[in-house]
Amino acid sequence: MTHVVVENCIKCKHTDCVAVCPVDCFYEGPNFLAINPDECIDCGVCIPECPVDAIKVDTDKNYPDMDYWLKINTELSQSGWPVITKKKDALPDAAEWKDKPNKRDLLEK
């Protein structure tokens, strides 16, 4: 079991989660964060920190396309994106994108 970042992070990229991660398993892309599932220790401290509910347990059967999100987190965290360990400001228009559906095609790799 691991945690993954899902669609709601796209175009928001809040980083409250990275400040509490004890193993520095978050990676930063242009408009999305990814968790490296091989580095995540399943502590769960990141989940309540995310203001847009964009972090899920990979076994969450209620979240659609979880296999896709696990694959995306794995690929992007190993693609050369840098590790992020300190909180930064969210993207400037994050409030406008919060909870908007169908953002998958907007993910910048």
Side-chain angles (χ1 to χ4, degrees), residues 92-108:
D93 56 351
E96 297 170 36
W97 287 99
K98 182 182 179 194
D99 296 325
K100 286 197 177 180
N102 305 314
K103 298 191 293 183
R104 187 184 294 189
D105 291 338
L106 301 174
L107 176 59
E108 296 175 35

Side-chain angles (χ1 to χ4, degrees), residues 30-80:
N31 69 348
F32 185 74
L33 298 175
I35 293 174
N36 184 318
D38 294 331
E39 297 171 355
C40 177
I41 60 170
D42 300 324
C43 67
V45 296
C46 56
I47 293 173
E49 298 302 317
C50 181
V52 296
D53 193 30
I55 302 172
K56 305 288 183 188
V57 177
D58 72 334
T59 57
D60 183 347
K61 301 298 182 201
N62 295 318
Y63 194 82
D65 298 328
M66 186 54 74
D67 290 340
Y68 169 81
W69 291 107
L70 179 58
K71 180 181 174 200
I72 286 295
N73 277 256
T74 302
E75 288 175 3
L76 296 178
S77 66
Q78 297 173 359
S79 70

